[in-house]
């Protein structure tokens, strides 16, 4: 058992560690943090970052760790090698949900049925797309396909994101 001090809500491996979003702030010794890194070899918490208000979903593109922050309506980018937050990308009024990496991009769904395409190199939103479902809560990606689960219904939708038209 590894005690994070918080409420783990997402986990992803990157750069020899496991990055865990805690779903909200935790205070330890006067320091607030929302993300922890667990060393994969020793199973010890090695780093604690204050990254956003309520980071949950996690994914990695091989270079960065991505977390959705429903508290700030942003997507957070962490450098897992330097072990620091790089930046966060605002999504306006959209609440980010459980995204993934596919077709060379980071894909973040929101509660309004949209998918946001984020360029992994710049961390910037490069497109907004209609997912075709009411609430695309969980997505899973591959080389050119996103699988989208409709949390408000009973459907799973397959999208060819290599041909996704922007809205």
């Amino acid at each position: 058992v590894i005690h994070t001090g918080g409420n783990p809500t997402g986990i992803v491996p990157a750069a020899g560690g496991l990055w865990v979003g805690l779903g909200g702030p935790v205070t330890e010794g006067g320091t607030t943090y929302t993300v922890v890194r667990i060393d994969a070899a020793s199973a010890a918490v090695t780093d604690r970052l204050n990254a956003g208000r309520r980071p949950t979903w996690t994914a990695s593109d091989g270079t960065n760790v991505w977390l959705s922050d429903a508290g700030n309506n942003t997507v957070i980018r962490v450098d897992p090698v330097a072990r620091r937050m790089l930046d966060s990308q605002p999504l306006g009024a959209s609440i980010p949900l459980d995204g993934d990496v596919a077709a060379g991009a980071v894909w973040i769904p929101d509660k309004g049925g949209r998918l946001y395409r984020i360029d992994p190199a710049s961390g910037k939103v490069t497109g907004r797309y209609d997912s075709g479902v009411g609430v695309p809560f969980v997505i899973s990606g591959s080389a050119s396909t996103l699988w989208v689960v409709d949390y408000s219904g009973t459907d799973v939708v397959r999208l060819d994101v290599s041909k996704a038209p922007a809205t």
Side-chain angles (χ1 to χ4, degrees):
V1 175
I2 302 165
H3 298 285
T4 63
N7 181 24
T9 54
I11 188 169
V12 67
L18 300 165
W19 291 85
V20 181
L22 298 179
V26 176
T27 301
E28 180 181 282
T31 303
T32 300
Y33 61 94
T34 55
V35 177
V36 296
R37 178 193 181 273
I38 299 169
D39 182 86
S42 69
V45 174
T46 60
D47 297 88
R48 297 178 186 281
L49 305 178
N50 187 2
R53 276 185 27 208
R54 200 172 57 196
T56 55
W57 156 80
T58 56
S60 177
D61 62 16
T63 302
N64 302 298
V65 169
W66 299 89
L67 301 106
S68 62
D69 181 2
N72 287 327
N73 298 350
T74 62
V75 177
I76 298 166
R77 181 170 58 149
V78 171
D79 179 335
V81 175
R83 300 179 186 180
R84 65 181 182 89
M85 184 176 128
L86 294 174
D87 53 36
S88 65
Q89 178 67 44
L91 298 183
S94 296
I95 298 172
L97 300 171
D98 188 5
D100 203 355
V101 177
V106 178
W107 295 87
I108 310 294
D110 74 7
K111 285 189 175 183
R114 290 172 297 275
L115 292 169
Y116 291 84
R117 182 189 187 283
I118 299 177
D119 175 58
S122 69
K124 303 295 181 196
V125 173
T126 58
R128 190 174 85 175
Y129 306 86
D130 181 9
S131 70
V133 301
V135 180
F137 187 67
V138 176
I139 64 175
S140 182
S142 64
S144 64
T145 303
L146 281 179
W147 294 89
V148 181
V149 173
D150 188 355
Y151 189 70
S152 66
T154 59
D155 299 329
V156 174
V157 175
R158 181 177 69 178
L159 302 173
D160 180 351
V161 293
S162 67
K163 302 174 186 174
T167 57

